[in-house]
């Protein structure tokens, strides 16, 4: 069974993947459209490609359902419905799920380790975004009795602004991250961190950045 790559290497690959999506989208549109005009799936596919290049890369799944992720992470594989009910989690999908890579003995022995939510065009604080942070927290907030194999969750996003925007990313991003921190604070056994690739300016056009918000157990 391969050891999962470090969290740093995964986060670096996520940022690199979204950056590559930006480069490709600008090339395909002759520099006429921001990446924020692209479907989120485009970001997810590029992220998955970059993660797959990591040495001893994990198994990668796009749009895995919550029930499948819980089934592949809880000690009791049949307890996923009880877990969803207990933690008030509705069925849905996560953009990318990373599993341990090993030779499988059957079709029900996968082990999920990382969940990644990829979002595009984030510019303001919205319930849609904070609700997703809370959903990640609920997936990681297992008790000792439940013993989940999930190590951490990532909320990865791309954002850009036109030059005419009055409130710049230097102000917006800290406000968005603060709203995420307020959600994580409600879970004493979880902690968070944030990494971005800096705010980049495009002369006479605007600015953009890529961020990855990580949530893990204390």
């Amino acid at each position: 069974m391969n050891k999962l790559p470090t969290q740093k290497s995964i986060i670096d690959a996520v940022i690199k993947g979204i950056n590559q999506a930006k480069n490709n989208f600008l090339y395909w549109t002759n520099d006429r459209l921001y990446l924020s005009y692209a479907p989120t799936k485009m970001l997810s596919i590029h992220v998955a490609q970059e993660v797959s290049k990591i040495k001893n890369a994990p198994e990668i799944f796009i749009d895995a359902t919550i029930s499948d992720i819980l089934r592949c992470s809880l000690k009791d594989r049949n307890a996923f419905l009880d877990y969803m009910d207990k933690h008030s989690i509705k069925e849905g999908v996560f953009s990318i799920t990373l599993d341990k890579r090993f030779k499988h003995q059957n079709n029900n022995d996968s082990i999920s380790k990382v969940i990644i939510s990829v979002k595009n065009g984030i510019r303001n604080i919205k319930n849609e975004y904070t609700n997703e942070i809370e959903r990640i927290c609920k997936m990681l907030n297992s008790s000792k009795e439940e013993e989940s194999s999930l190590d951490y969750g990532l909320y990865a996003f791309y954002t850009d602004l036109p030059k005419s925007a009055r409130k710049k990313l230097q102000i917006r991003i800290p406000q968005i991250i603060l709203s995420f921190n307020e959600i994580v604070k409600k879970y004493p056994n979880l902690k968070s961190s944030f990494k971005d690739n800096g705010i980049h300016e495009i002369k006479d056009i605007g600015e953009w950045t890529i961020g990855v918000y990580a949530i893990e157990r204390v």
Side-chain angles (χ1 to χ4, degrees):
M1 185 179 294
N2 288 347
K3 184 178 180 181
L4 199 74
T6 65
Q7 185 183 104
K8 180 182 182 302
S9 66
I10 296 292
I11 291 176
D12 288 345
V14 171
I15 292 176
K16 187 176 180 180
I18 296 177
N19 191 61
Q20 188 59 44
K22 176 191 70 68
N23 293 338
N24 285 342
F25 193 71
L26 288 173
Y27 177 77
W28 296 332
T29 62
N30 194 26
D31 293 338
R32 293 181 180 179
L33 293 175
Y34 287 113
L35 178 63
S36 56
Y37 284 91
T40 298
K41 189 78 72 179
M42 180 180 176
L43 279 67
S44 299
I45 291 171
H46 279 79
V47 167
Q49 288 175 336
E50 289 301 326
V51 172
S52 72
K53 297 175 184 178
I54 300 175
K55 184 179 180 180
N56 296 323
E59 295 180 358
I60 305 168
F61 295 90
I62 293 179
D63 288 347
T65 64
I66 283 178
S67 55
D68 278 344
I69 296 169
L70 290 173
R71 187 184 291 112
C72 295
S73 59
L74 294 176
K75 179 178 66 174
D76 180 357
R77 288 178 175 260
N78 296 317
F80 68 96
L81 288 176
D82 289 338
Y83 187 95
M84 292 172 69
D85 183 62
K86 174 183 175 181
H87 295 272
S88 300
I89 305 175
K90 295 180 180 179
E91 182 63 289
V93 300
F94 276 96
S95 305
I96 299 172
T97 307
L98 306 181
D99 287 10
K100 279 190 175 181
R101 183 175 292 278
F102 59 93
K103 185 175 181 180
H104 295 272
Q105 302 300 316
N106 55 62
N107 64 352
N108 193 37
D109 63 351
S110 297
I111 302 174
S112 296
K113 300 294 290 182
V114 182
I115 48 178
I116 305 175
S117 180
V118 181
K119 298 296 179 181
N120 192 11
I122 289 182
R123 296 187 179 97
N124 300 296
I125 299 171
K126 291 184 178 180
N127 288 338
E128 173 190 349
Y129 309 146
T130 52
N131 288 344
E132 185 67 5
I133 294 297
E134 184 138 35
R135 190 170 72 138
I136 295 174
C137 288
K138 289 178 178 179
M139 292 289 287
L140 297 170
N141 193 39
S142 58
S143 64
K144 185 176 180 180
E145 291 73 24
E146 291 161 332
E147 286 187 9
S148 170
S149 65
L150 289 176
D151 288 337
Y152 57 91
L154 302 178
Y155 186 91
F157 63 88
Y158 172 86
T159 184
D160 54 33
L161 287 175
K163 183 181 178 181
S164 58
R166 288 184 295 176
K167 189 164 70 171
K168 305 300 183 182
L169 291 179
Q170 187 176 4
I171 297 175
R172 292 174 186 255
I173 297 303
Q175 291 177 341
I176 291 171
I177 299 308
L178 181 60
S179 72
F180 292 172
N181 290 342
E182 291 302 314
I183 299 297
V184 178
K185 283 180 182 178
K186 298 191 297 184
Y187 298 85
N189 62 326
L190 300 179
K191 63 179 181 179
S192 63
S193 59
F194 178 66
K195 180 176 181 179
D196 61 22
N197 70 334
I199 297 175
H200 302 266
E201 294 186 11
I202 304 175
K203 186 178 180 181
D204 299 325
I205 295 178
E207 56 183 1
W208 63 274
T209 191
I210 298 167
V212 179
Y213 189 83
I215 304 171
E216 60 187 312
R217 295 186 183 87
V218 175

